[in-house]
PDB file of all heavy atoms in Angstrom:
ATOM      1  N   PHE N 147      33.576  14.322  19.212  1.00 87.00           N
ATOM      2  CA  PHE N 147      33.875  13.179  18.218  1.00 87.00           C
ATOM      3  C   PHE N 147      33.676  13.688  16.827  1.00 87.00           C
ATOM      4  O   PHE N 147      34.437  13.439  15.934  1.00 87.00           O
ATOM      5  CB  PHE N 147      33.064  11.950  18.527  1.00 87.00           C
ATOM      6  CG  PHE N 147      33.094  10.983  17.367  1.00 87.00           C
ATOM      7  CD1 PHE N 147      34.194  10.141  17.153  1.00 87.00           C
ATOM      8  CD2 PHE N 147      31.927  10.925  16.541  1.00 87.00           C
ATOM      9  CE1 PHE N 147      34.121   9.310  16.068  1.00 87.00           C
ATOM     10  CE2 PHE N 147      31.999  10.001  15.447  1.00 87.00           C
ATOM     11  CZ  PHE N 147      32.993   9.189  15.297  1.00 87.00           C
ATOM     12  N   ALA N 148      32.519  14.332  16.629  1.00 87.00           N
ATOM     13  CA  ALA N 148      32.240  14.867  15.240  1.00 87.00           C
ATOM     14  C   ALA N 148      33.162  15.825  14.708  1.00 87.00           C
ATOM     15  O   ALA N 148      33.584  15.812  13.523  1.00 87.00           O
ATOM     16  CB  ALA N 148      30.729  15.397  15.233  1.00 87.00           C
ATOM     17  N   ILE N 149      33.521  16.800  15.616  1.00 88.00           N
ATOM     18  CA  ILE N 149      34.462  17.861  15.276  1.00 88.00           C
ATOM     19  C   ILE N 149      35.808  17.139  14.841  1.00 88.00           C
ATOM     20  O   ILE N 149      36.456  17.479  13.758  1.00 88.00           O
ATOM     21  CB  ILE N 149      34.788  18.805  16.369  1.00 88.00           C
ATOM     22  CG1 ILE N 149      33.400  19.576  16.572  1.00 88.00           C
ATOM     23  CG2 ILE N 149      35.845  19.721  16.004  1.00 88.00           C
ATOM     24  CD1 ILE N 149      33.561  20.593  17.798  1.00 88.00           C
ATOM     25  N   VAL N 150      36.327  16.258  15.620  1.00 90.00           N
ATOM     26  CA  VAL N 150      37.618  15.650  15.356  1.00 90.00           C
ATOM     27  C   VAL N 150      37.503  14.738  14.023  1.00 90.00           C
ATOM     28  O   VAL N 150      38.384  14.784  13.192  1.00 90.00           O
ATOM     29  CB  VAL N 150      38.005  14.752  16.540  1.00 90.00           C
ATOM     30  CG1 VAL N 150      39.295  13.946  16.154  1.00 90.00           C
ATOM     31  CG2 VAL N 150      38.414  15.693  17.742  1.00 90.00           C
ATOM     32  N   PHE N 151      36.371  14.053  13.978  1.00 91.00           N
ATOM     33  CA  PHE N 151      36.220  13.214  12.763  1.00 91.00           C
ATOM     34  C   PHE N 151      36.182  14.052  11.400  1.00 91.00           C
ATOM     35  O   PHE N 151      36.895  13.693  10.428  1.00 91.00           O
ATOM     36  CB  PHE N 151      34.940  12.413  12.823  1.00 91.00           C
ATOM     37  CG  PHE N 151      34.628  11.435  11.717  1.00 91.00           C
ATOM     38  CD1 PHE N 151      35.206  10.135  11.930  1.00 91.00           C
ATOM     39  CD2 PHE N 151      33.930  11.856  10.615  1.00 91.00           C
ATOM     40  CE1 PHE N 151      34.927   9.308  10.765  1.00 91.00           C
ATOM     41  CE2 PHE N 151      33.726  10.867   9.548  1.00 91.00           C
ATOM     42  CZ  PHE N 151      34.250   9.611   9.652  1.00 91.00           C
ATOM     43  N   VAL N 152      35.449  15.079  11.429  1.00 89.00           N
ATOM     44  CA  VAL N 152      35.317  15.855  10.189  1.00 89.00           C
ATOM     45  C   VAL N 152      36.682  16.560   9.883  1.00 89.00           C
ATOM     46  O   VAL N 152      37.124  16.499   8.697  1.00 89.00           O
ATOM     47  CB  VAL N 152      34.197  16.979  10.409  1.00 89.00           C
ATOM     48  CG1 VAL N 152      34.229  17.922   9.206  1.00 89.00           C
ATOM     49  CG2 VAL N 152      32.831  16.272  10.489  1.00 89.00           C
ATOM     50  N   TYR N 153      37.268  17.192  10.824  1.00 92.00           N
ATOM     51  CA  TYR N 153      38.529  17.772  10.546  1.00 92.00           C
ATOM     52  C   TYR N 153      39.645  16.759  10.085  1.00 92.00           C
ATOM     53  O   TYR N 153      40.415  17.065   9.202  1.00 92.00           O
ATOM     54  CB  TYR N 153      39.053  18.593  11.744  1.00 92.00           C
ATOM     55  CG  TYR N 153      38.597  20.027  11.835  1.00 92.00           C
ATOM     56  CD1 TYR N 153      37.985  20.542  12.959  1.00 92.00           C
ATOM     57  CD2 TYR N 153      38.768  20.820  10.783  1.00 92.00           C
ATOM     58  CE1 TYR N 153      37.535  21.881  13.035  1.00 92.00           C
ATOM     59  CE2 TYR N 153      38.355  22.126  10.756  1.00 92.00           C
ATOM     60  CZ  TYR N 153      37.692  22.661  11.909  1.00 92.00           C
ATOM     61  OH  TYR N 153      37.227  24.059  11.966  1.00 92.00           O
ATOM     62  N   SER N 154      39.606  15.574  10.733  1.00 92.00           N
ATOM     63  CA  SER N 154      40.533  14.549  10.350  1.00 92.00           C
ATOM     64  C   SER N 154      40.322  14.103   8.918  1.00 92.00           C
ATOM     65  O   SER N 154      41.297  13.919   8.171  1.00 92.00           O
ATOM     66  CB  SER N 154      40.517  13.442  11.337  1.00 92.00           C
ATOM     67  OG  SER N 154      40.740  13.800  12.654  1.00 92.00           O
ATOM     68  N   GLY N 155      39.040  13.956   8.576  1.00 90.00           N
ATOM     69  CA  GLY N 155      38.843  13.561   7.153  1.00 90.00           C
ATOM     70  C   GLY N 155      39.206  14.635   6.206  1.00 90.00           C
ATOM     71  O   GLY N 155      39.714  14.359   5.095  1.00 90.00           O
ATOM     72  N   LEU N 156      38.970  15.896   6.583  1.00 90.00           N
ATOM     73  CA  LEU N 156      39.200  17.030   5.593  1.00 90.00           C
ATOM     74  C   LEU N 156      40.742  17.146   5.386  1.00 90.00           C
ATOM     75  O   LEU N 156      41.179  17.236   4.278  1.00 90.00           O
ATOM     76  CB  LEU N 156      38.675  18.303   6.100  1.00 90.00           C
ATOM     77  CG  LEU N 156      37.134  18.377   6.221  1.00 90.00           C
ATOM     78  CD1 LEU N 156      36.718  19.739   6.743  1.00 90.00           C
ATOM     79  CD2 LEU N 156      36.546  18.281   4.806  1.00 90.00           C
ATOM     80  N   ILE N 157      41.459  17.187   6.548  1.00 93.00           N
ATOM     81  CA  ILE N 157      42.984  17.300   6.440  1.00 93.00           C
ATOM     82  C   ILE N 157      43.594  16.139   5.706  1.00 93.00           C
ATOM     83  O   ILE N 157      44.589  16.252   4.913  1.00 93.00           O
ATOM     84  CB  ILE N 157      43.570  17.538   7.862  1.00 93.00           C
ATOM     85  CG1 ILE N 157      44.970  18.187   7.660  1.00 93.00           C
ATOM     86  CG2 ILE N 157      43.626  16.325   8.706  1.00 93.00           C
ATOM     87  CD1 ILE N 157      44.954  19.506   7.099  1.00 93.00           C
ATOM     88  N   TYR N 158      43.003  14.947   5.894  1.00 92.00           N
ATOM     89  CA  TYR N 158      43.546  13.736   5.254  1.00 92.00           C
ATOM     90  C   TYR N 158      43.329  13.936   3.748  1.00 92.00           C
ATOM     91  O   TYR N 158      44.225  13.606   2.869  1.00 92.00           O
ATOM     92  CB  TYR N 158      42.930  12.462   5.744  1.00 92.00           C
ATOM     93  CG  TYR N 158      43.304  11.194   4.927  1.00 92.00           C
ATOM     94  CD1 TYR N 158      44.515  10.614   5.145  1.00 92.00           C
ATOM     95  CD2 TYR N 158      42.506  10.761   3.868  1.00 92.00           C
ATOM     96  CE1 TYR N 158      44.945   9.514   4.432  1.00 92.00           C
ATOM     97  CE2 TYR N 158      42.892   9.682   3.124  1.00 92.00           C
ATOM     98  CZ  TYR N 158      44.083   9.056   3.326  1.00 92.00           C
ATOM     99  OH  TYR N 158      44.489   8.044   2.610  1.00 92.00           O
TER     100      TYR N 158
END
Side-chain angles (χ1 to χ4, degrees):
F147 164 77
I149 292 172
V150 172
F151 183 88
V152 171
Y153 269 131
S154 299
L156 294 178
I157 196 67
Y158 173 83

